[in-house]
Amino acid sequence: MNHNLILSIRERYQRVLQKIEESAEKSGRSVEAIRLVAVSKSQPLEVIKAAMEVGIKRFGENYVEEAVEKISLAGETGVEWHMIGHLQSRKAEMVVAHFTMLHSLDSAKLARRLDRFCGTHVRKLPVLVEFNVSGEESKFGLSAWDEEKWPELSTEIEGILIQQHLEVLGLMTMPPYFENPEQTRPYFRKLRKLQKFLIKRYPEAVWNELSMGTSVDYVAAIQEGATYIRIGQAILGPRPQ
Ligand SMILES: *Cc1c(COP(=O)(O)O)cnc(C)c1O
């Protein structure tokens, strides 16, 4: 075990935990309502093992094959694995077989495939629906930048909600990158506004969770109601190229 690695991750982790606590307190929220996903994409197994040693129990990965390999090698029970990156339909079964939860469900077609594999694997899969609230073309998610077109999301949303093995729990977004989190804040607000819209339109469904905020802007995300924050570099250090 690499002790310097453990020490540096512990230090960064504690700093982040402290900031989460402060931001929760300042915005009058309970810290238990904010769950941290340590984003370990592109990080070697050594970093994940060190993070586990520090007590981190929830990891986020973007690339399915890479993740599945690390998940089997990490071999620790009691750890949650969250798929947060874009998922191609043909890799759906790997997510059903290996992950705790999916943050990036972005079509009814993918939902149908996941549901079918959940049937064969006899499990339910908790999911968040990913929305693109910025209109930025490089971002995935159901297109939701134009509020007037929110009602048009119904075909996709209903195609997702109808799947018996998927537990829809809320919304996720990945806004454009800005160094200044104040520039990201409007997108967090927009996701929360969309959440209110969905609650009104589909009151029988569950829309509690908001997965938003990364290393640079998690404080703003917490202030805007995030229940999952996805933090990579601020805890695990820079990603290897
Ligand atoms: C990489 C990534 C993160 C974390 O980014 P950091 O800058 O390392 O905190 C969060 N969410 C998604 C979807 C990502 O791809």
Side-chain angles (χ1 to χ4, degrees), residues 37 39 41 61-63 84-86 104 130 172-174 177 211 213-216 229-235 237 239:
V37 179
V39 178
K41 66 172 177 212
E61 289 279 343
N62 285 55
Y63 314 107
I84 63 171
H86 177 64
S104 44
E130 180 174 3
M172 179 272 216
T173 199
M174 184 72 182
Y177 176 80
S211 171
T214 66
S215 290
V216 284
I229 49 177
R230 310 180 307 264
I231 302 182
Q233 307 189 68
I235 294 173
R239 279 181 282 276

Tab-separated table of all heavy atoms in Angstrom, residues 37 39 41 61-63 84-86 104 130 172-174 177 211 213-216 229-235 237 239, ligand 1:
chain	number	residue	atom	x	y	z
A	37	VAL	N	-19.913	11.195	-4.452
A	37	VAL	CA	-19.426	10.143	-5.344
A	37	VAL	C	-17.992	10.514	-5.720
A	37	VAL	O	-17.756	11.571	-6.306
A	37	VAL	CB	-20.295	10.044	-6.620
A	37	VAL	CG1	-19.764	8.955	-7.545
A	37	VAL	CG2	-21.758	9.788	-6.273
A	39	VAL	N	-15.127	10.368	-8.015
A	39	VAL	CA	-15.026	10.000	-9.434
A	39	VAL	C	-13.624	9.468	-9.740
A	39	VAL	O	-12.645	10.207	-9.737
A	39	VAL	CB	-15.381	11.194	-10.341
A	39	VAL	CG1	-15.220	10.807	-11.806
A	39	VAL	CG2	-16.818	11.652	-10.069
A	41	LYS	N	-12.708	7.726	-12.527
A	41	LYS	CA	-12.430	7.449	-13.946
A	41	LYS	C	-10.968	7.750	-14.261
A	41	LYS	O	-10.412	8.737	-13.756
A	41	LYS	CB	-13.337	8.302	-14.836
A	41	LYS	CG	-13.059	9.780	-14.730
A	41	LYS	CD	-13.842	10.587	-15.754
A	41	LYS	CE	-13.576	12.062	-15.538
A	41	LYS	NZ	-14.691	12.930	-15.853
A	61	GLU	N	-17.632	6.049	-12.125
A	61	GLU	CA	-16.812	5.706	-13.290
A	61	GLU	C	-17.546	6.113	-14.564
A	61	GLU	O	-18.772	6.126	-14.615
A	61	GLU	CB	-16.523	4.199	-13.303
A	61	GLU	CG	-15.552	3.741	-12.210
A	61	GLU	CD	-14.084	3.973	-12.578
A	61	GLU	OE1	-13.795	4.189	-13.770
A	61	GLU	OE2	-13.229	3.949	-11.656
A	62	ASN	N	-16.768	6.411	-15.606
A	62	ASN	CA	-17.344	6.852	-16.879
A	62	ASN	C	-17.267	5.827	-17.995
A	62	ASN	O	-18.074	5.855	-18.907
A	62	ASN	CB	-16.605	8.080	-17.413
A	62	ASN	CG	-16.970	9.323	-16.658
A	62	ASN	OD1	-16.847	9.347	-15.434
A	62	ASN	ND2	-17.433	10.329	-17.356
A	63	TYR	N	-16.237	5.007	-17.962
A	63	TYR	CA	-15.988	4.097	-19.081
A	63	TYR	C	-16.216	2.677	-18.591
A	63	TYR	O	-15.524	2.192	-17.689
A	63	TYR	CB	-14.565	4.295	-19.605
A	63	TYR	CG	-14.212	5.757	-19.765
A	63	TYR	CD1	-13.337	6.397	-18.896
A	63	TYR	CD2	-14.816	6.511	-20.782
A	63	TYR	CE1	-13.049	7.753	-19.023
A	63	TYR	CE2	-14.537	7.865	-20.914
A	63	TYR	CZ	-13.650	8.481	-20.022
A	63	TYR	OH	-13.384	9.823	-20.155
A	84	ILE	N	-21.474	7.099	-14.261
A	84	ILE	CA	-21.857	8.505	-14.444
A	84	ILE	C	-21.617	9.005	-15.869
A	84	ILE	O	-21.963	10.132	-16.198
A	84	ILE	CB	-21.111	9.422	-13.444
A	84	ILE	CG1	-19.599	9.374	-13.685
A	84	ILE	CG2	-21.429	9.039	-12.000
A	84	ILE	CD1	-18.822	10.422	-12.888
A	85	GLY	N	-21.002	8.176	-16.709
A	85	GLY	CA	-20.687	8.609	-18.072
A	85	GLY	C	-21.714	8.104	-19.071
A	85	GLY	O	-22.567	7.266	-18.751
A	86	HIS	N	-21.606	8.614	-20.290
A	86	HIS	CA	-22.536	8.191	-21.329
A	86	HIS	C	-22.444	6.683	-21.555
A	86	HIS	O	-21.357	6.122	-21.635
A	86	HIS	CB	-22.223	8.919	-22.640
A	86	HIS	CG	-23.085	8.476	-23.771
A	86	HIS	ND1	-24.457	8.667	-23.767
A	86	HIS	CD2	-22.791	7.834	-24.926
A	86	HIS	CE1	-24.952	8.159	-24.883
A	86	HIS	NE2	-23.975	7.654	-25.593
A	104	SER	N	-26.653	8.337	-15.671
A	104	SER	CA	-26.651	8.935	-17.005
A	104	SER	C	-27.608	8.247	-17.973
A	104	SER	O	-27.275	7.994	-19.109
A	104	SER	CB	-25.226	8.879	-17.552
A	104	SER	OG	-24.637	7.604	-17.295
A	130	GLU	N	-30.478	11.786	-17.142
A	130	GLU	CA	-29.545	12.875	-17.440
A	130	GLU	C	-30.172	13.872	-18.404
A	130	GLU	O	-30.742	13.496	-19.422
A	130	GLU	CB	-28.245	12.324	-18.046
A	130	GLU	CG	-27.260	13.445	-18.365
A	130	GLU	CD	-25.888	12.959	-18.839
A	130	GLU	OE1	-25.686	11.744	-18.989
A	130	GLU	OE2	-25.029	13.844	-19.060
A	172	MET	N	-29.950	14.219	-13.294
A	172	MET	CA	-28.512	14.470	-13.289
A	172	MET	C	-28.175	15.436	-14.417
A	172	MET	O	-28.851	15.451	-15.453
A	172	MET	CB	-27.782	13.143	-13.506
A	172	MET	CG	-26.281	13.222	-13.548
A	172	MET	SD	-25.581	13.560	-15.185
A	172	MET	CE	-24.100	12.571	-15.116
A	173	THR	N	-27.148	16.274	-14.202
A	173	THR	CA	-26.652	17.085	-15.309
A	173	THR	C	-25.149	17.325	-15.200
A	173	THR	O	-24.570	17.241	-14.118
A	173	THR	CB	-27.381	18.442	-15.419
A	173	THR	OG1	-27.164	18.969	-16.741
A	173	THR	CG2	-26.873	19.474	-14.419
A	174	MET	N	-24.552	17.562	-16.348
A	174	MET	CA	-23.138	17.918	-16.438
A	174	MET	C	-23.065	19.220	-17.239
A	174	MET	O	-23.123	19.211	-18.465
A	174	MET	CB	-22.385	16.791	-17.144
A	174	MET	CG	-20.886	16.988	-17.213
A	174	MET	SD	-20.101	16.753	-15.599
A	174	MET	CE	-18.398	17.108	-16.027
A	177	TYR	N	-18.109	23.597	-18.751
A	177	TYR	CA	-17.050	23.892	-17.790
A	177	TYR	C	-16.764	25.389	-17.700
A	177	TYR	O	-16.534	26.049	-18.708
A	177	TYR	CB	-15.765	23.158	-18.159
A	177	TYR	CG	-14.624	23.528	-17.244
A	177	TYR	CD1	-14.518	22.936	-15.984
A	177	TYR	CD2	-13.695	24.496	-17.610
A	177	TYR	CE1	-13.498	23.307	-15.116
A	177	TYR	CE2	-12.674	24.865	-16.744
A	177	TYR	CZ	-12.580	24.272	-15.502
A	177	TYR	OH	-11.583	24.637	-14.633
A	211	SER	N	-28.232	15.004	-9.084
A	211	SER	CA	-26.804	14.709	-9.181
A	211	SER	C	-26.147	15.817	-9.990
A	211	SER	O	-26.311	15.896	-11.207
A	211	SER	CB	-26.615	13.341	-9.845
A	211	SER	OG	-25.250	13.109	-10.142
A	213	GLY	N	-22.648	18.924	-9.785
A	213	GLY	CA	-21.519	19.508	-9.067
A	213	GLY	C	-20.296	18.619	-9.142
A	213	GLY	O	-20.399	17.420	-8.918
A	214	THR	N	-19.158	19.228	-9.528
A	214	THR	CA	-17.884	18.510	-9.618
A	214	THR	C	-16.853	19.246	-8.745
A	214	THR	O	-17.214	20.154	-7.999
A	214	THR	CB	-17.384	18.470	-11.074
A	214	THR	OG1	-17.068	19.807	-11.486
A	214	THR	CG2	-18.431	17.905	-12.019
A	215	SER	N	-15.587	18.891	-8.891
A	215	SER	CA	-14.527	19.485	-8.069
A	215	SER	C	-14.573	21.013	-8.036
A	215	SER	O	-14.318	21.622	-7.006
A	215	SER	CB	-13.148	19.070	-8.600
A	215	SER	OG	-12.925	17.707	-8.353
A	216	VAL	N	-14.882	21.621	-9.182
A	216	VAL	CA	-14.794	23.086	-9.249
A	216	VAL	C	-16.043	23.803	-8.727
A	216	VAL	O	-15.972	24.966	-8.353
A	216	VAL	CB	-14.529	23.600	-10.695
A	216	VAL	CG1	-13.103	23.376	-11.085
A	216	VAL	CG2	-15.489	22.981	-11.684
A	229	ILE	N	-23.076	14.761	-5.250
A	229	ILE	CA	-22.048	15.554	-5.903
A	229	ILE	C	-20.976	14.583	-6.394
A	229	ILE	O	-20.690	13.577	-5.746
A	229	ILE	CB	-21.457	16.635	-4.968
A	229	ILE	CG1	-21.067	16.035	-3.617
A	229	ILE	CG2	-22.464	17.776	-4.758
A	229	ILE	CD1	-20.423	17.041	-2.681
A	230	ARG	N	-20.427	14.865	-7.560
A	230	ARG	CA	-19.492	13.931	-8.206
A	230	ARG	C	-18.114	14.577	-8.273
A	230	ARG	O	-17.847	15.395	-9.140
A	230	ARG	CB	-20.001	13.578	-9.608
A	230	ARG	CG	-21.473	13.148	-9.653
A	230	ARG	CD	-21.895	12.822	-11.080
A	230	ARG	NE	-21.609	13.894	-11.995
A	230	ARG	CZ	-22.471	14.831	-12.391
A	230	ARG	NH1	-23.727	14.815	-11.942
A	230	ARG	NH2	-22.101	15.771	-13.235
A	231	ILE	N	-17.259	14.206	-7.349
A	231	ILE	CA	-15.971	14.884	-7.222
A	231	ILE	C	-14.813	13.933	-7.524
A	231	ILE	O	-14.675	12.889	-6.891
A	231	ILE	CB	-15.811	15.469	-5.808
A	231	ILE	CG1	-16.974	16.441	-5.529
A	231	ILE	CG2	-14.472	16.171	-5.669
A	231	ILE	CD1	-16.895	17.118	-4.192
A	232	GLY	N	-14.006	14.298	-8.499
A	232	GLY	CA	-12.848	13.484	-8.866
A	232	GLY	C	-11.558	14.082	-8.338
A	232	GLY	O	-11.075	13.745	-7.261
A	233	GLN	N	-11.025	15.027	-9.119
A	233	GLN	CA	-9.662	15.519	-8.869
A	233	GLN	C	-9.461	16.170	-7.509
A	233	GLN	O	-8.369	16.064	-6.944
A	233	GLN	CB	-9.280	16.491	-9.984
A	233	GLN	CG	-9.495	15.843	-11.350
A	233	GLN	CD	-8.930	16.658	-12.497
A	233	GLN	OE1	-7.723	16.797	-12.620
A	233	GLN	NE2	-9.801	17.187	-13.327
A	234	ALA	N	-10.463	16.825	-6.976
A	234	ALA	CA	-10.288	17.499	-5.690
A	234	ALA	C	-10.039	16.506	-4.558
A	234	ALA	O	-9.556	16.880	-3.487
A	234	ALA	CB	-11.503	18.363	-5.371
A	235	ILE	N	-10.369	15.229	-4.805
A	235	ILE	CA	-10.124	14.213	-3.770
A	235	ILE	C	-9.024	13.239	-4.184
A	235	ILE	O	-8.098	12.970	-3.432
A	235	ILE	CB	-11.428	13.425	-3.462
A	235	ILE	CG1	-12.458	14.367	-2.808
A	235	ILE	CG2	-11.132	12.250	-2.522
A	235	ILE	CD1	-13.814	13.755	-2.611
A	237	GLY	N	-6.925	13.517	-6.744
A	237	GLY	CA	-5.771	14.112	-7.394
A	237	GLY	C	-5.948	14.145	-8.901
A	237	GLY	O	-6.938	13.641	-9.430
A	239	ARG	N	-5.945	13.425	-12.787
A	239	ARG	CA	-6.057	12.160	-13.514
A	239	ARG	C	-4.831	11.967	-14.387
A	239	ARG	O	-4.362	12.911	-15.024
A	239	ARG	CB	-7.303	12.174	-14.400
A	239	ARG	CG	-8.574	11.859	-13.656
A	239	ARG	CD	-9.778	11.851	-14.580
A	239	ARG	NE	-10.250	13.182	-14.917
A	239	ARG	CZ	-11.061	13.899	-14.170
A	239	ARG	NH1	-11.502	13.429	-13.016
A	239	ARG	NH2	-11.447	15.112	-14.555
B	1	LIG	C1	-15.095	13.570	-14.607
B	1	LIG	C2	-16.472	13.781	-14.176
B	1	LIG	C3	-16.769	14.324	-12.906
B	1	LIG	C4	-15.707	14.770	-11.929
B	1	LIG	O1	-14.879	15.775	-12.430
B	1	LIG	P1	-13.705	16.365	-11.494
B	1	LIG	O2	-13.316	17.603	-12.177
B	1	LIG	O3	-12.628	15.349	-11.470
B	1	LIG	O4	-14.286	16.587	-10.143
B	1	LIG	C5	-18.103	14.441	-12.559
B	1	LIG	N1	-19.095	14.062	-13.377
B	1	LIG	C6	-18.863	13.534	-14.585
B	1	LIG	C7	-19.996	13.117	-15.449
B	1	LIG	C8	-17.553	13.386	-15.026
B	1	LIG	O5	-17.332	12.869	-16.243
